[in-house]
Amino acid sequence: MVGPAILPALNLVRYQHPDDPWAFGHATEEPAEVGELEREELMKLAKNAIVVNTLQDIYSSRHKNRRCESSTLTSTESLRFTRALYRIMLFQRVFPGKTTIYIDDADTEQEREIRAARKAFFAMYTTAELREIYAVNNFIEALGTWLVRKVLNQDYARCDHAIVVPAEVFLHAYQERNPRLINRHFAHETFAGANNLLVGYVTDPVQAVWKERGEVSLSDSFNHILDHIEEQDDICKQCGTKAGIELWSASNWATQNATSLAFLPCILETLHMAGELPHNAWERAVLQAHMRRGVSLEDLLAELFALKRLPAFSSWRPEDAICLNCLKRFVTQHLHLWLLERKREAGQFIGPDCWYGYHCRVHLIHHDEEHARSFNHLCQARGYWDDGS
Ligand SMILES: [Zn+2]
Ligand SMILES: [Zn+2]
């Protein structure tokens, strides 16, 4: 169950924290061999292995093979991922994030002492191992940010503490889709943000060791863990662009991450609407009101595909992998139709079609809000057929 990373796993369960829970501890080097295992150690190993393997499944399904929920990492890739995660979990036990939230940023001596000890911790590992640790750190931080944005629907929210709380706490928050469980772990009323010791919790000391060894700057790359990504060379079904793992299809609408995190906020700001609609404050307010009823990105995309679509898009299927640009083009050409449907369903007033449809600039030029309200602009200009190509 533990797999090839048994030595780092063992080092984690054998770690003893000092009696003072507010102190930081000292990790020992990893054992050279497994040796005799006590019953209690076996139980702890099994418990940690569940956390590590589950996070590995999530990592694999998001970054290696999105068609598969359980890990498809090769044994070498798995060794890199799991040993890095066990080492991060040990770091979390040796330097509990919880204990540093009370440290005043002004108390530089205490801060310096902690920083030196954290750096000494990572100095135990080789440069290649530090790369793996850095990659796994970035994976967890990105997953935390995804969780916060997804659940709290906060446009540009960040999650500073995903890596600072014990991995099992973070995993629980992720599985429950409840980022508040991360902050709750700190159980501190006045805890509002992050101090110097929480931001860059892992990356600061890793980079310090890195720099001392005269290495070039650490790059954020999945290559530190993965040798091969399943969809690496996949192209967009519509435009042929090679977008690999960044491609969108119905199976990953709900979990899509990385560069597209800000897609939903942009939709909310009507940036992806046809013609002059992005400047139509009236329709924007209507759209936002409908979206605030809890429409997720995946709900919205499914509903857009279910609409009677423009001829140019009639052959598009939700399960086809397409690039973000093509998806945005699709959304832009159909979001007004979706909104019109929602207004109809809700029995909201829909005026007669404006002659200029969504290309109308009357409300812009004349600041004529009355016009925006009285006429329907969620349509094409009369006698004009925009095929969206
Ligand atoms: Zn495309
Ligand atoms: Zn008009």
Side-chain angles (χ1 to χ4, degrees):
M1 186 173 195
V2 177
I6 180 71
L7 298 176
L10 206 51
N11 205 27
L12 173 65
V13 300
R14 286 187 179 156
Y15 170 69
Q16 301 275 348
H17 200 73
D19 291 338
D20 175 6
W22 294 98
F24 63 80
H26 295 277
T28 51
E29 299 234 342
E30 284 166 15
E33 54 185 40
V34 179
E36 287 272 312
L37 292 175
E38 287 167 25
R39 198 182 132 75
E40 199 193 339
E41 286 178 336
L42 283 168
M43 277 160 58
K44 284 184 181 169
L45 281 171
K47 208 172 145 208
N48 289 338
I50 293 173
V51 174
V52 169
N53 292 336
T54 309
L55 280 165
Q56 180 174 238
D57 286 343
I58 298 167
Y59 177 80
S60 173
S61 69
R62 282 176 166 257
H63 300 294
K64 183 174 172 73
N65 184 350
R66 296 185 303 172
R67 298 185 189 104
C68 196
E69 275 185 29
S70 49
S71 173
T72 59
L73 265 59
T74 64
S75 55
T76 311
E77 292 169 339
S78 177
L79 172 64
R80 292 182 193 133
F81 180 88
T82 54
R83 73 181 168 201
L85 185 51
Y86 279 117
R87 286 159 180 169
I88 288 175
M89 287 166 75
L90 177 62
F91 182 77
Q92 290 166 338
R93 299 240 195 315
V94 177
F95 301 94
K98 223 174 173 173
T99 63
T100 60
I101 60 172
Y102 299 101
I103 294 174
D104 191 343
D105 282 349
D107 189 353
T108 49
E109 189 161 337
Q110 196 180 4
E111 189 181 318
R112 218 176 297 135
E113 191 195 345
I114 294 174
R115 281 187 188 279
R118 287 180 179 183
K119 190 177 146 206
F121 177 97
F122 285 115
M124 290 195 292
Y125 303 108
T126 68
T127 302
E129 289 167 339
L130 289 182
R131 259 194 220 110
E132 298 161 4
I133 289 169
Y134 189 73
V136 172
N137 169 81
N138 292 352
F139 155 66
I140 290 177
E141 288 197 319
L143 195 61
T145 299
W146 176 86
L147 180 67
V148 168
R149 291 185 185 178
K150 178 93 183 159
V151 176
L152 306 183
N153 211 355
Q154 289 175 355
D155 304 2
Y156 298 100
R158 280 173 46 87
C159 181
D160 289 317
H161 313 117
I163 196 71
V164 183
V165 295
E168 58 274 20
V169 173
F170 171 71
L171 178 62
H172 181 60
Y174 173 81
Q175 288 175 321
E176 295 290 316
R177 294 290 189 269
N178 185 359
R180 289 180 187 89
L181 294 176
I182 297 173
N183 274 2
R184 202 172 293 161
H185 172 78
F186 289 100
H188 186 257
E189 288 165 20
T190 57
F191 181 67
N195 67 19
N196 285 341
L197 287 162
L198 292 180
V199 175
Y201 176 69
V202 167
T203 52
D204 280 0
V206 166
Q207 259 155 356
V209 176
W210 199 259
K211 213 171 134 192
E212 204 171 73
R213 292 183 187 169
E215 300 287 343
V216 287
S217 65
L218 266 166
S219 66
D220 183 12
S221 169
F222 290 109
N223 296 341
H224 299 331
I225 303 285
L226 300 175
D227 294 318
H228 175 72
I229 297 171
E230 291 309 324
E231 298 156 76
Q232 201 152 246
D233 300 322
D234 285 9
I235 57 167
C236 169
K237 166 109 193 212
Q238 296 303 332
C239 72
T241 302
K242 185 173 147 182
I245 201 131
E246 303 273 314
L247 288 170
W248 290 67
S249 67
S251 64
N252 65 46
W253 286 342
T255 54
Q256 188 53 269
N257 50 340
T259 55
S260 42
L261 275 170
F263 189 24
L264 190 60
C266 290
I267 290 176
L268 276 171
E269 288 305 311
T270 64
L271 295 179
H272 299 302
M273 275 189 119
E276 300 294 333
L277 287 173
H279 310 294
N280 187 326
W282 172 253
E283 297 298 355
R284 177 188 305 171
V286 177
L287 175 81
Q288 289 175 344
H290 278 283
M291 295 292 289
R292 291 236 165 77
R293 285 174 201 163
V295 182
S296 65
L297 184 57
E298 59 271 26
D299 294 342
L300 178 68
L301 293 174
E303 288 172 17
L304 287 171
F305 271 97
L307 289 170
K308 186 177 175 342
R309 287 172 259 147
L310 299 184
F313 296 88
S314 60
S315 66
W316 290 36
R317 295 176 310 165
E319 60 272 25
D320 291 339
I322 58 173
C323 72
L324 186 59
N325 276 340
C326 285
L327 186 66
K328 282 178 177 170
R329 194 154 53 87
F330 171 77
V331 170
T332 303
Q333 294 300 322
H334 295 92
L335 193 54
H336 63 283
L337 298 173
W338 177 87
L339 188 56
L340 192 60
E341 284 278 318
R342 297 289 88 75
K343 280 170 95 168
R344 258 193 211 119
E345 273 173 16
Q348 283 174 296
F349 170 76
I350 300 168
D353 287 358
C354 168
W355 182 270
Y356 302 104
Y358 54 61
H359 288 299
C360 176
R361 294 171 60 86
V362 171
H363 53 277
L364 277 179
I365 299 164
H366 304 293
H367 299 286
D368 188 349
E369 276 182 42
E370 186 56 34
H371 175 85
R373 261 197 298 268
S374 321
F375 289 89
N376 176 37
H377 292 96
L378 302 173
C379 59
Q380 290 174 332
R382 218 170 287 178
Y384 178 81
W385 188 249
D386 187 349
D387 68 2
S389 51

Short mmCIF file of all heavy atoms in Angstrom, two decimals, residues 5 51 91 99 127 187 209 233 266 343:
data_model
loop_
_atom_site.label_atom_id
_atom_site.label_comp_id
_atom_site.label_asym_id
_atom_site.label_seq_id
_atom_site.Cartn_x
_atom_site.Cartn_y
_atom_site.Cartn_z
N ALA A 5 7.95 4.51 -1.90
CA ALA A 5 8.44 5.61 -1.06
C ALA A 5 8.43 5.23 0.42
O ALA A 5 8.20 6.07 1.28
CB ALA A 5 7.60 6.87 -1.31
N VAL A 51 -4.00 9.02 2.45
CA VAL A 51 -3.93 10.45 2.09
C VAL A 51 -3.04 10.64 0.86
O VAL A 51 -3.42 11.31 -0.11
CB VAL A 51 -3.37 11.28 3.29
CG1 VAL A 51 -3.16 12.73 2.90
CG2 VAL A 51 -4.31 11.16 4.49
N PHE A 91 7.59 17.88 6.88
CA PHE A 91 7.87 19.31 7.10
C PHE A 91 6.69 19.96 7.85
O PHE A 91 6.88 20.75 8.77
CB PHE A 91 8.10 20.00 5.74
CG PHE A 91 8.42 21.45 5.83
CD1 PHE A 91 9.70 21.88 6.20
CD2 PHE A 91 7.47 22.41 5.52
CE1 PHE A 91 10.01 23.23 6.27
CE2 PHE A 91 7.77 23.77 5.59
CZ PHE A 91 9.05 24.17 5.96
N THR A 99 1.54 27.15 14.56
CA THR A 99 2.33 27.76 15.63
C THR A 99 2.93 29.09 15.23
O THR A 99 3.42 29.83 16.08
CB THR A 99 3.48 26.83 16.06
OG1 THR A 99 4.34 26.67 14.93
CG2 THR A 99 2.98 25.48 16.50
N THR A 127 19.16 18.01 -5.10
CA THR A 127 18.56 19.04 -5.94
C THR A 127 17.38 18.48 -6.74
O THR A 127 16.35 19.13 -6.88
CB THR A 127 19.64 19.61 -6.88
OG1 THR A 127 20.69 20.12 -6.05
CG2 THR A 127 19.12 20.72 -7.73
N ALA A 187 -8.07 27.85 13.80
CA ALA A 187 -8.89 28.14 14.98
C ALA A 187 -8.46 29.42 15.69
O ALA A 187 -8.21 29.42 16.88
CB ALA A 187 -8.86 26.95 15.94
N VAL A 209 17.84 26.98 -0.28
CA VAL A 209 18.81 25.89 -0.46
C VAL A 209 19.28 25.88 -1.91
O VAL A 209 20.47 25.74 -2.22
CB VAL A 209 18.17 24.52 -0.12
CG1 VAL A 209 19.15 23.39 -0.39
CG2 VAL A 209 17.72 24.49 1.33
N ASP A 233 -0.15 15.90 -26.66
CA ASP A 233 -0.11 16.34 -28.06
C ASP A 233 -1.50 16.49 -28.68
O ASP A 233 -1.63 16.67 -29.88
CB ASP A 233 0.70 15.33 -28.88
CG ASP A 233 2.14 15.23 -28.38
OD1 ASP A 233 2.69 16.28 -27.99
OD2 ASP A 233 2.68 14.12 -28.33
N CYS A 266 -15.06 36.23 -16.00
CA CYS A 266 -15.17 37.00 -17.24
C CYS A 266 -16.56 36.86 -17.84
O CYS A 266 -17.11 37.82 -18.38
CB CYS A 266 -14.12 36.54 -18.26
SG CYS A 266 -12.46 37.00 -17.80
N LYS A 343 -34.77 34.41 -19.14
CA LYS A 343 -35.73 35.49 -18.90
C LYS A 343 -37.15 35.02 -19.21
O LYS A 343 -38.09 35.29 -18.47
CB LYS A 343 -35.39 36.71 -19.78
CG LYS A 343 -34.26 37.56 -19.21
CD LYS A 343 -33.78 38.60 -20.20
CE LYS A 343 -34.45 39.93 -19.99
NZ LYS A 343 -33.76 41.00 -20.79
#
